[in-house]
Amino acid sequence: MPYEPPTHTVERSIRATTGAKTIAGVDEVGRGAWAGPVTVCAAVTGLRRPPAGLTDSKLINPKRRAELAVELEKWVTSHALGHASPEEIDELGMTAALRLAAVRALDALPVRPDAVILDGKHDYLGVPWQVRTVIKGDQSCVAVAAASVIAKVRRDAMMAELEAESAQYAAFGFGANAGYPSPVHKAALHEWGPTPYHRLSWAYLDGLPQWRHLKKVRIPPQTSERESGGQLGFDF
């Protein structure tokens, strides 16, 4: 099924309305997984024409996605990845863990972005970052699509490396499911229980009576909701 290629429309709008020169596209992968980190990629692309076939990473078959990631890492002006570990996810909750991973990625770029295009409708970055959220930005925005592909391929490779660490981890099929729920993953959890790479505050443990005692209960901090005053609008 053909898809409309992503464009620089949002980036051009931000440049015209704010004067921003360096704009990073940001996307995450691993939010819904039971194991492994949540990974965020920040990519700066400028206004150049992207490699053919670029779109949301989930819409590209694995072979082509891996090839495209190699092309993109050479093509982008700069990119960086940030991760939040399962322990950090358990301690902070997913929204704060996403922000932690995204800030790590943005801080690792050689030049601090003047603005950020964030995939989705929720600004989990907030101030001091100047953010424009774009629903389905990984399909419509070049920089976000590039970040989507690079993040997906790099995190999948990390999870495949975990599978190779031991016979026990191989039973979870991380190389195929990347830590997401699957029949193989669920069966291994029943037999072996969670590994050190599993998120222990998640509800899947409620369905594992023999391992339920390992579940961590996160106590949300008593703070007011984080301000998101850097939001640049929802024009797209």
Side-chain angles (χ1 to χ4, degrees):
M1 178 179 178
Y3 298 94
E4 288 293 322
T7 70
H8 295 294
T9 300
V10 176
E11 189 168 351
R12 292 181 190 279
S13 170
I14 293 172
R15 286 171 178 258
T17 57
T18 71
K21 297 185 182 300
T22 302
I23 302 173
V26 170
D27 198 17
E28 57 77 22
V29 63
R31 186 194 302 236
W34 288 357
V38 62
T39 296
V40 173
C41 180
V44 178
T45 66
L47 300 176
R48 295 171 297 141
R49 183 187 297 274
L54 178 62
T55 186
D56 172 10
S57 64
K58 297 184 291 296
L59 303 178
I60 307 172
N61 72 65
K63 181 176 183 297
R64 176 54 187 152
R65 188 167 58 219
E67 295 170 347
L68 186 57
V70 173
E71 295 177 40
L72 287 168
E73 291 191 15
K74 298 175 182 177
W75 174 80
V76 297
T77 303
S78 61
H79 76 282
L81 287 112
H83 311 279
S85 68
E87 294 84 3
E88 290 170 328
I89 294 169
D90 288 334
E91 178 183 353
L92 301 173
M94 181 51 73
T95 299
L98 274 172
R99 185 175 196 275
L100 180 63
V103 169
R104 285 170 173 166
L106 290 164
D107 283 347
L109 291 172
V111 176
R112 182 182 175 91
D114 302 311
V116 174
I117 305 172
L118 193 62
D119 181 49
K121 64 180 180 180
H122 175 57
D123 175 12
Y124 55 77
L125 268 172
V127 293
W129 301 95
Q130 296 295 308
V131 175
R132 177 168 291 176
T133 54
V134 180
I135 296 172
K136 294 188 177 179
D138 48 10
Q139 293 183 40
S140 62
C141 302
V142 169
V144 179
S148 167
V149 172
I150 294 171
K152 172 67 174 168
V153 170
R154 294 285 289 273
R155 184 182 182 277
D156 282 359
M158 290 172 59
M159 297 305 294
E161 289 173 5
L162 293 184
E163 180 176 324
E165 281 191 9
S166 72
Q168 179 180 344
Y169 294 163
F172 289 84
F174 289 149
N177 60 48
Y180 285 84
S182 73
V184 168
H185 191 169
K186 293 175 182 178
L189 275 169
H190 277 280
E191 180 173 356
W192 297 93
T195 71
Y197 301 107
H198 277 85
R199 303 167 187 182
L200 298 181
S201 60
W202 285 46
Y204 70 85
L205 277 171
D206 294 336
L208 299 169
Q210 69 274 43
W211 306 110
R212 194 179 298 157
H213 64 285
L214 298 175
K215 187 173 182 181
K216 294 182 178 178
V217 178
R218 186 178 66 87
I219 301 175
Q222 298 299 312
T223 57
S224 59
E225 186 174 353
R226 181 178 48 80
E227 182 183 1
S228 58
Q231 177 61 243
L232 295 175
F234 297 87
D235 300 311
F236 297 87

PDB file of all heavy atoms in Angstrom, residues 64-93:
ATOM      1  N   ARG A  64      13.943  -3.796   4.646  1.00  0.00           N
ATOM      2  CA  ARG A  64      14.106  -2.456   4.080  1.00  0.00           C
ATOM      3  C   ARG A  64      14.338  -1.418   5.177  1.00  0.00           C
ATOM      4  O   ARG A  64      15.111  -0.473   4.997  1.00  0.00           O
ATOM      5  CB  ARG A  64      12.874  -2.079   3.250  1.00  0.00           C
ATOM      6  CG  ARG A  64      12.892  -0.657   2.693  1.00  0.00           C
ATOM      7  CD  ARG A  64      14.154  -0.380   1.908  1.00  0.00           C
ATOM      8  NE  ARG A  64      14.252   1.033   1.512  1.00  0.00           N
ATOM      9  CZ  ARG A  64      15.400   1.670   1.320  1.00  0.00           C
ATOM     10  NH1 ARG A  64      16.560   1.046   1.494  1.00  0.00           N
ATOM     11  NH2 ARG A  64      15.406   2.935   0.961  1.00  0.00           N
ATOM     12  N   ARG A  65      13.704  -1.619   6.336  1.00  0.00           N
ATOM     13  CA  ARG A  65      13.878  -0.683   7.446  1.00  0.00           C
ATOM     14  C   ARG A  65      15.339  -0.642   7.906  1.00  0.00           C
ATOM     15  O   ARG A  65      15.900   0.426   8.159  1.00  0.00           O
ATOM     16  CB  ARG A  65      12.968  -1.078   8.596  1.00  0.00           C
ATOM     17  CG  ARG A  65      12.920  -0.072   9.722  1.00  0.00           C
ATOM     18  CD  ARG A  65      11.765  -0.387  10.643  1.00  0.00           C
ATOM     19  NE  ARG A  65      11.849  -1.724  11.202  1.00  0.00           N
ATOM     20  CZ  ARG A  65      10.800  -2.530  11.386  1.00  0.00           C
ATOM     21  NH1 ARG A  65       9.593  -2.155  11.036  1.00  0.00           N
ATOM     22  NH2 ARG A  65      10.964  -3.729  11.924  1.00  0.00           N
ATOM     23  N   ALA A  66      15.961  -1.819   7.994  1.00  0.00           N
ATOM     24  CA  ALA A  66      17.370  -1.879   8.401  1.00  0.00           C
ATOM     25  C   ALA A  66      18.258  -1.201   7.369  1.00  0.00           C
ATOM     26  O   ALA A  66      19.212  -0.483   7.721  1.00  0.00           O
ATOM     27  CB  ALA A  66      17.781  -3.326   8.611  1.00  0.00           C
ATOM     28  N   GLU A  67      17.977  -1.430   6.083  1.00  0.00           N
ATOM     29  CA  GLU A  67      18.755  -0.789   5.026  1.00  0.00           C
ATOM     30  C   GLU A  67      18.580   0.728   5.072  1.00  0.00           C
ATOM     31  O   GLU A  67      19.540   1.491   4.931  1.00  0.00           O
ATOM     32  CB  GLU A  67      18.311  -1.317   3.665  1.00  0.00           C
ATOM     33  CG  GLU A  67      18.591  -2.799   3.449  1.00  0.00           C
ATOM     34  CD  GLU A  67      17.919  -3.339   2.195  1.00  0.00           C
ATOM     35  OE1 GLU A  67      17.046  -2.650   1.628  1.00  0.00           O
ATOM     36  OE2 GLU A  67      18.257  -4.478   1.793  1.00  0.00           O
ATOM     37  N   LEU A  68      17.328   1.158   5.289  1.00  0.00           N
ATOM     38  CA  LEU A  68      17.037   2.584   5.301  1.00  0.00           C
ATOM     39  C   LEU A  68      17.697   3.276   6.492  1.00  0.00           C
ATOM     40  O   LEU A  68      18.166   4.422   6.380  1.00  0.00           O
ATOM     41  CB  LEU A  68      15.521   2.791   5.337  1.00  0.00           C
ATOM     42  CG  LEU A  68      15.006   4.230   5.207  1.00  0.00           C
ATOM     43  CD1 LEU A  68      15.510   4.875   3.923  1.00  0.00           C
ATOM     44  CD2 LEU A  68      13.470   4.236   5.241  1.00  0.00           C
ATOM     45  N   ALA A  69      17.759   2.582   7.628  1.00  0.00           N
ATOM     46  CA  ALA A  69      18.403   3.175   8.807  1.00  0.00           C
ATOM     47  C   ALA A  69      19.869   3.478   8.528  1.00  0.00           C
ATOM     48  O   ALA A  69      20.395   4.523   8.946  1.00  0.00           O
ATOM     49  CB  ALA A  69      18.273   2.237  10.006  1.00  0.00           C
ATOM     50  N   VAL A  70      20.552   2.568   7.826  1.00  0.00           N
ATOM     51  CA  VAL A  70      21.957   2.797   7.463  1.00  0.00           C
ATOM     52  C   VAL A  70      22.071   4.030   6.569  1.00  0.00           C
ATOM     53  O   VAL A  70      22.953   4.885   6.762  1.00  0.00           O
ATOM     54  CB  VAL A  70      22.545   1.561   6.761  1.00  0.00           C
ATOM     55  CG1 VAL A  70      23.944   1.854   6.241  1.00  0.00           C
ATOM     56  CG2 VAL A  70      22.565   0.371   7.716  1.00  0.00           C
ATOM     57  N   GLU A  71      21.166   4.138   5.585  1.00  0.00           N
ATOM     58  CA  GLU A  71      21.177   5.305   4.702  1.00  0.00           C
ATOM     59  C   GLU A  71      20.921   6.587   5.487  1.00  0.00           C
ATOM     60  O   GLU A  71      21.590   7.612   5.286  1.00  0.00           O
ATOM     61  CB  GLU A  71      20.106   5.149   3.615  1.00  0.00           C
ATOM     62  CG  GLU A  71      20.328   4.003   2.644  1.00  0.00           C
ATOM     63  CD  GLU A  71      19.175   3.877   1.660  1.00  0.00           C
ATOM     64  OE1 GLU A  71      18.672   4.927   1.207  1.00  0.00           O
ATOM     65  OE2 GLU A  71      18.762   2.745   1.356  1.00  0.00           O
ATOM     66  N   LEU A  72      19.955   6.529   6.384  1.00  0.00           N
ATOM     67  CA  LEU A  72      19.565   7.727   7.125  1.00  0.00           C
ATOM     68  C   LEU A  72      20.667   8.209   8.065  1.00  0.00           C
ATOM     69  O   LEU A  72      20.875   9.419   8.212  1.00  0.00           O
ATOM     70  CB  LEU A  72      18.289   7.450   7.930  1.00  0.00           C
ATOM     71  CG  LEU A  72      17.006   7.354   7.119  1.00  0.00           C
ATOM     72  CD1 LEU A  72      15.885   6.790   7.983  1.00  0.00           C
ATOM     73  CD2 LEU A  72      16.612   8.721   6.557  1.00  0.00           C
ATOM     74  N   GLU A  73      21.365   7.281   8.699  1.00  0.00           N
ATOM     75  CA  GLU A  73      22.419   7.692   9.623  1.00  0.00           C
ATOM     76  C   GLU A  73      23.536   8.439   8.898  1.00  0.00           C
ATOM     77  O   GLU A  73      24.232   9.257   9.513  1.00  0.00           O
ATOM     78  CB  GLU A  73      22.957   6.480  10.381  1.00  0.00           C
ATOM     79  CG  GLU A  73      21.934   5.914  11.371  1.00  0.00           C
ATOM     80  CD  GLU A  73      22.530   4.883  12.305  1.00  0.00           C
ATOM     81  OE1 GLU A  73      23.765   4.793  12.393  1.00  0.00           O
ATOM     82  OE2 GLU A  73      21.751   4.163  12.960  1.00  0.00           O
ATOM     83  N   LYS A  74      23.697   8.167   7.611  1.00  0.00           N
ATOM     84  CA  LYS A  74      24.672   8.905   6.811  1.00  0.00           C
ATOM     85  C   LYS A  74      24.068  10.195   6.247  1.00  0.00           C
ATOM     86  O   LYS A  74      24.780  11.174   6.027  1.00  0.00           O
ATOM     87  CB  LYS A  74      25.179   8.026   5.658  1.00  0.00           C
ATOM     88  CG  LYS A  74      25.907   6.770   6.106  1.00  0.00           C
ATOM     89  CD  LYS A  74      26.270   5.906   4.910  1.00  0.00           C
ATOM     90  CE  LYS A  74      26.963   4.624   5.342  1.00  0.00           C
ATOM     91  NZ  LYS A  74      27.261   3.735   4.180  1.00  0.00           N
ATOM     92  N   TRP A  75      22.756  10.180   6.022  1.00  0.00           N
ATOM     93  CA  TRP A  75      22.095  11.298   5.346  1.00  0.00           C
ATOM     94  C   TRP A  75      21.737  12.450   6.277  1.00  0.00           C
ATOM     95  O   TRP A  75      21.862  13.621   5.907  1.00  0.00           O
ATOM     96  CB  TRP A  75      20.833  10.783   4.654  1.00  0.00           C
ATOM     97  CG  TRP A  75      19.996  11.872   4.058  1.00  0.00           C
ATOM     98  CD1 TRP A  75      20.202  12.513   2.857  1.00  0.00           C
ATOM     99  CD2 TRP A  75      18.837  12.481   4.643  1.00  0.00           C
ATOM    100  NE1 TRP A  75      19.238  13.474   2.671  1.00  0.00           N
ATOM    101  CE2 TRP A  75      18.386  13.465   3.746  1.00  0.00           C
ATOM    102  CE3 TRP A  75      18.136  12.273   5.835  1.00  0.00           C
ATOM    103  CZ2 TRP A  75      17.263  14.255   4.008  1.00  0.00           C
ATOM    104  CZ3 TRP A  75      17.023  13.044   6.096  1.00  0.00           C
ATOM    105  CH2 TRP A  75      16.596  14.025   5.192  1.00  0.00           C
ATOM    106  N   VAL A  76      21.299  12.146   7.491  1.00  0.00           N
ATOM    107  CA  VAL A  76      20.861  13.212   8.399  1.00  0.00           C
ATOM    108  C   VAL A  76      22.024  14.146   8.733  1.00  0.00           C
ATOM    109  O   VAL A  76      23.198  13.755   8.697  1.00  0.00           O
ATOM    110  CB  VAL A  76      20.269  12.643   9.711  1.00  0.00           C
ATOM    111  CG1 VAL A  76      19.021  11.833   9.435  1.00  0.00           C
ATOM    112  CG2 VAL A  76      21.301  11.813  10.475  1.00  0.00           C
ATOM    113  N   THR A  77      21.697  15.383   9.062  1.00  0.00           N
ATOM    114  CA  THR A  77      22.721  16.333   9.499  1.00  0.00           C
ATOM    115  C   THR A  77      23.347  15.855  10.800  1.00  0.00           C
ATOM    116  O   THR A  77      24.568  15.907  10.983  1.00  0.00           O
ATOM    117  CB  THR A  77      22.096  17.723   9.691  1.00  0.00           C
ATOM    118  OG1 THR A  77      21.481  18.129   8.461  1.00  0.00           O
ATOM    119  CG2 THR A  77      23.148  18.741  10.109  1.00  0.00           C
ATOM    120  N   SER A  78      22.515  15.412  11.729  1.00  0.00           N
ATOM    121  CA  SER A  78      22.985  14.822  12.980  1.00  0.00           C
ATOM    122  C   SER A  78      21.845  14.035  13.599  1.00  0.00           C
ATOM    123  O   SER A  78      20.664  14.248  13.285  1.00  0.00           O
ATOM    124  CB  SER A  78      23.475  15.894  13.953  1.00  0.00           C
ATOM    125  OG  SER A  78      22.436  16.797  14.289  1.00  0.00           O
ATOM    126  N   HIS A  79      22.210  13.098  14.465  1.00  0.00           N
ATOM    127  CA  HIS A  79      21.195  12.361  15.214  1.00  0.00           C
ATOM    128  C   HIS A  79      21.827  11.835  16.491  1.00  0.00           C
ATOM    129  O   HIS A  79      23.051  11.724  16.600  1.00  0.00           O
ATOM    130  CB  HIS A  79      20.617  11.205  14.388  1.00  0.00           C
ATOM    131  CG  HIS A  79      21.527  10.021  14.285  1.00  0.00           C
ATOM    132  ND1 HIS A  79      22.610   9.982  13.425  1.00  0.00           N
ATOM    133  CD2 HIS A  79      21.527   8.828  14.950  1.00  0.00           C
ATOM    134  CE1 HIS A  79      23.223   8.826  13.552  1.00  0.00           C
ATOM    135  NE2 HIS A  79      22.603   8.103  14.478  1.00  0.00           N
ATOM    136  N   ALA A  80      20.988  11.540  17.457  1.00  0.00           N
ATOM    137  CA  ALA A  80      21.452  10.965  18.713  1.00  0.00           C
ATOM    138  C   ALA A  80      20.312  10.181  19.337  1.00  0.00           C
ATOM    139  O   ALA A  80      19.130  10.460  19.090  1.00  0.00           O
ATOM    140  CB  ALA A  80      21.936  12.048  19.672  1.00  0.00           C
ATOM    141  N   LEU A  81      20.677   9.185  20.139  1.00  0.00           N
ATOM    142  CA  LEU A  81      19.679   8.375  20.826  1.00  0.00           C
ATOM    143  C   LEU A  81      19.786   8.558  22.334  1.00  0.00           C
ATOM    144  O   LEU A  81      20.871   8.815  22.871  1.00  0.00           O
ATOM    145  CB  LEU A  81      19.863   6.892  20.483  1.00  0.00           C
ATOM    146  CG  LEU A  81      19.432   6.539  19.061  1.00  0.00           C
ATOM    147  CD1 LEU A  81      20.639   6.163  18.244  1.00  0.00           C
ATOM    148  CD2 LEU A  81      18.397   5.445  19.052  1.00  0.00           C
ATOM    149  N   GLY A  82      18.651   8.436  22.987  1.00  0.00           N
ATOM    150  CA  GLY A  82      18.601   8.441  24.438  1.00  0.00           C
ATOM    151  C   GLY A  82      17.733   7.293  24.903  1.00  0.00           C
ATOM    152  O   GLY A  82      16.771   6.916  24.220  1.00  0.00           O
ATOM    153  N   HIS A  83      18.063   6.707  26.031  1.00  0.00           N
ATOM    154  CA  HIS A  83      17.329   5.560  26.557  1.00  0.00           C
ATOM    155  C   HIS A  83      16.935   5.826  28.005  1.00  0.00           C
ATOM    156  O   HIS A  83      17.646   6.508  28.744  1.00  0.00           O
ATOM    157  CB  HIS A  83      18.182   4.293  26.505  1.00  0.00           C
ATOM    158  CG  HIS A  83      18.842   4.048  25.189  1.00  0.00           C
ATOM    159  ND1 HIS A  83      18.192   3.479  24.115  1.00  0.00           N
ATOM    160  CD2 HIS A  83      20.099   4.314  24.758  1.00  0.00           C
ATOM    161  CE1 HIS A  83      19.022   3.384  23.091  1.00  0.00           C
ATOM    162  NE2 HIS A  83      20.189   3.890  23.452  1.00  0.00           N
ATOM    163  N   ALA A  84      15.810   5.265  28.393  1.00  0.00           N
ATOM    164  CA  ALA A  84      15.446   5.178  29.808  1.00  0.00           C
ATOM    165  C   ALA A  84      15.282   3.698  30.116  1.00  0.00           C
ATOM    166  O   ALA A  84      14.573   2.966  29.407  1.00  0.00           O
ATOM    167  CB  ALA A  84      14.158   5.936  30.113  1.00  0.00           C
ATOM    168  N   SER A  85      15.959   3.247  31.150  1.00  0.00           N
ATOM    169  CA  SER A  85      16.017   1.826  31.482  1.00  0.00           C
ATOM    170  C   SER A  85      14.708   1.340  32.092  1.00  0.00           C
ATOM    171  O   SER A  85      13.876   2.150  32.545  1.00  0.00           O
ATOM    172  CB  SER A  85      17.149   1.574  32.468  1.00  0.00           C
ATOM    173  OG  SER A  85      16.821   2.177  33.727  1.00  0.00           O
ATOM    174  N   PRO A  86      14.509   0.019  32.148  1.00  0.00           N
ATOM    175  CA  PRO A  86      13.322  -0.511  32.840  1.00  0.00           C
ATOM    176  C   PRO A  86      13.231  -0.032  34.286  1.00  0.00           C
ATOM    177  O   PRO A  86      12.133   0.264  34.772  1.00  0.00           O
ATOM    178  CB  PRO A  86      13.526  -2.029  32.757  1.00  0.00           C
ATOM    179  CG  PRO A  86      14.345  -2.238  31.535  1.00  0.00           C
ATOM    180  CD  PRO A  86      15.270  -1.061  31.478  1.00  0.00           C
ATOM    181  N   GLU A  87      14.376   0.062  34.961  1.00  0.00           N
ATOM    182  CA  GLU A  87      14.366   0.547  36.344  1.00  0.00           C
ATOM    183  C   GLU A  87      13.888   1.992  36.421  1.00  0.00           C
ATOM    184  O   GLU A  87      13.120   2.359  37.327  1.00  0.00           O
ATOM    185  CB  GLU A  87      15.766   0.432  36.949  1.00  0.00           C
ATOM    186  CG  GLU A  87      16.269  -0.987  37.135  1.00  0.00           C
ATOM    187  CD  GLU A  87      16.884  -1.568  35.872  1.00  0.00           C
ATOM    188  OE1 GLU A  87      16.973  -0.851  34.840  1.00  0.00           O
ATOM    189  OE2 GLU A  87      17.281  -2.747  35.906  1.00  0.00           O
ATOM    190  N   GLU A  88      14.314   2.814  35.472  1.00  0.00           N
ATOM    191  CA  GLU A  88      13.880   4.212  35.452  1.00  0.00           C
ATOM    192  C   GLU A  88      12.402   4.324  35.112  1.00  0.00           C
ATOM    193  O   GLU A  88      11.688   5.172  35.662  1.00  0.00           O
ATOM    194  CB  GLU A  88      14.736   4.999  34.469  1.00  0.00           C
ATOM    195  CG  GLU A  88      16.172   5.185  34.966  1.00  0.00           C
ATOM    196  CD  GLU A  88      17.109   5.748  33.921  1.00  0.00           C
ATOM    197  OE1 GLU A  88      16.912   5.451  32.711  1.00  0.00           O
ATOM    198  OE2 GLU A  88      18.050   6.464  34.297  1.00  0.00           O
ATOM    199  N   ILE A  89      11.924   3.462  34.216  1.00  0.00           N
ATOM    200  CA  ILE A  89      10.499   3.449  33.888  1.00  0.00           C
ATOM    201  C   ILE A  89       9.679   3.072  35.121  1.00  0.00           C
ATOM    202  O   ILE A  89       8.653   3.698  35.426  1.00  0.00           O
ATOM    203  CB  ILE A  89      10.230   2.471  32.732  1.00  0.00           C
ATOM    204  CG1 ILE A  89      10.883   2.971  31.440  1.00  0.00           C
ATOM    205  CG2 ILE A  89       8.724   2.284  32.524  1.00  0.00           C
ATOM    206  CD1 ILE A  89      10.903   1.958  30.314  1.00  0.00           C
ATOM    207  N   ASP A  90      10.136   2.051  35.855  1.00  0.00           N
ATOM    208  CA  ASP A  90       9.426   1.629  37.071  1.00  0.00           C
ATOM    209  C   ASP A  90       9.416   2.739  38.116  1.00  0.00           C
ATOM    210  O   ASP A  90       8.428   2.941  38.819  1.00  0.00           O
ATOM    211  CB  ASP A  90      10.073   0.374  37.659  1.00  0.00           C
ATOM    212  CG  ASP A  90       9.810  -0.873  36.832  1.00  0.00           C
ATOM    213  OD1 ASP A  90       8.794  -0.916  36.120  1.00  0.00           O
ATOM    214  OD2 ASP A  90      10.631  -1.807  36.902  1.00  0.00           O
ATOM    215  N   GLU A  91      10.520   3.446  38.231  1.00  0.00           N
ATOM    216  CA  GLU A  91      10.638   4.470  39.267  1.00  0.00           C
ATOM    217  C   GLU A  91       9.881   5.750  38.911  1.00  0.00           C
ATOM    218  O   GLU A  91       9.223   6.356  39.768  1.00  0.00           O
ATOM    219  CB  GLU A  91      12.113   4.809  39.491  1.00  0.00           C
ATOM    220  CG  GLU A  91      12.345   5.910  40.523  1.00  0.00           C
ATOM    221  CD  GLU A  91      13.805   6.277  40.682  1.00  0.00           C
ATOM    222  OE1 GLU A  91      14.663   5.596  40.089  1.00  0.00           O
ATOM    223  OE2 GLU A  91      14.086   7.252  41.404  1.00  0.00           O
ATOM    224  N   LEU A  92       9.954   6.155  37.645  1.00  0.00           N
ATOM    225  CA  LEU A  92       9.456   7.469  37.248  1.00  0.00           C
ATOM    226  C   LEU A  92       8.074   7.442  36.616  1.00  0.00           C
ATOM    227  O   LEU A  92       7.379   8.462  36.614  1.00  0.00           O
ATOM    228  CB  LEU A  92      10.436   8.108  36.249  1.00  0.00           C
ATOM    229  CG  LEU A  92      11.871   8.309  36.727  1.00  0.00           C
ATOM    230  CD1 LEU A  92      12.741   8.776  35.567  1.00  0.00           C
ATOM    231  CD2 LEU A  92      11.911   9.317  37.861  1.00  0.00           C
ATOM    232  N   GLY A  93       7.691   6.297  36.039  1.00  0.00           N
ATOM    233  CA  GLY A  93       6.501   6.256  35.195  1.00  0.00           C
ATOM    234  C   GLY A  93       6.889   6.556  33.760  1.00  0.00           C
ATOM    235  O   GLY A  93       7.947   7.133  33.482  1.00  0.00           O
TER     236      GLY A  93
END
